[in-house]
Amino acid sequence: MSIQGQTVLPAIRKMKHLEKLLQSSYEYIVLLESHIGQLKDIVDLAKSHRKKLLLHVDLVEGLKNDEAAADFLCQSIKPAGLISTRANVILKARQNGLLAVQRVFLLDSSALDKSYALLERTQPDYIEVLPGVIPGLITEVRERTGIPIFAGGLIRTVDDVEKALAAGATAVTTSQMDLCRHYDNIK
């Protein structure tokens, strides 16, 4: 599944940022923090503006990030995709035909090895590598897995974005609205 050549994926925490992004040319938007009671309305609002939300399951307040929650999200909320550190959530997203983004934290060699084992099992559509400011690891993970990479976490400057993309990231996730504006004409 494609991200339509979008090299920056705006990641929002506040509804005022979503409102601005609804007027942008971005097709895909990451919803980081939300409340379970607002999810359906947020996803429907995005869809009404031809936007596709990638929902970060681990950060939904009032929702456990387990298989039952993933089923609920896939069948009732129907975002474009799910992002999670949890294998069962990724597997459920794949079963339901949603984009599946496995989030991995590359803290040390042990975490990297565990991530490779996890990725073999889940085979997500995309991997979100955090922190996204380590170009060498972006290249290594991309080459070893063959799975497209999103670089996220600590992406603060245009230079950070460009280095991540040059290292092989398909896209960069960022909550820095100034970077989102730089890569799109948000008013």
Side-chain angles (χ1 to χ4, degrees):
M1 296 186 183
S2 173
I3 294 296
Q4 309 297 350
Q6 191 173 319
T7 57
V8 170
L9 296 171
I12 60 161
R13 287 186 165 86
K14 298 177 183 175
M15 285 305 296
K16 68 180 182 177
H17 293 155
L18 176 62
E19 291 168 7
K20 288 182 180 184
L21 288 166
L22 292 176
Q23 306 308 316
S24 74
S25 66
Y26 289 115
E27 181 177 3
Y28 288 89
I29 300 169
V30 176
L31 182 61
L32 291 176
E33 296 172 3
S34 56
H35 184 278
I36 188 172
Q38 299 172 324
L39 286 180
K40 184 69 173 151
D41 290 339
I42 293 170
V43 170
D44 289 347
L45 176 64
K47 286 180 181 178
S48 74
H49 286 82
R50 296 189 179 132
K51 306 297 180 189
K52 297 177 181 174
L53 283 184
L54 302 176
L55 178 61
H56 194 305
V57 178
D58 304 352
L59 300 177
V60 176
E61 188 178 338
L63 185 72
K64 188 175 178 181
N65 58 351
D66 62 8
E67 195 170 328
D71 261 337
F72 166 74
L73 293 170
C74 292
Q75 296 170 16
S76 297
I77 304 300
K78 301 177 184 175
L82 300 180
I83 300 171
S84 181
T85 58
R86 313 261 315 183
N88 56 350
V89 171
I90 298 306
L91 293 170
K92 191 56 71 172
R94 288 186 48 122
Q95 287 174 0
N96 283 277
L98 273 64
L99 282 174
V101 182
Q102 180 77 60
R103 193 176 227 211
V104 296
F105 293 93
L106 304 180
L107 305 173
D108 56 24
S109 295
S110 176
L112 181 60
D113 291 340
K114 288 177 184 175
S115 294
Y116 285 136
L118 175 69
L119 295 165
E120 276 185 42
R121 200 171 81 218
T122 60
Q123 291 295 303
D125 297 300
Y126 295 92
I127 303 165
E128 185 180 23
V129 172
L130 289 101
V133 291
I134 308 173
L137 282 178
I138 293 169
T139 302
E140 178 184 327
V141 172
R142 172 67 188 208
E143 288 175 355
R144 180 152 174 193
T145 66
I147 299 171
I149 304 290
F150 295 159
L154 300 176
I155 303 288
R156 297 177 179 159
T157 67
V158 170
D159 189 51
D160 292 338
V161 172
E162 298 303 324
K163 284 179 180 175
L165 295 173
T170 299
V172 171
T173 60
T174 183
S175 60
Q176 300 291 320
M177 289 302 291
D178 56 332
L179 287 177
C180 297
R181 280 188 291 275
H182 178 81
Y183 288 93
D184 186 84
N185 294 321
I186 300 172
K187 297 182 166 78

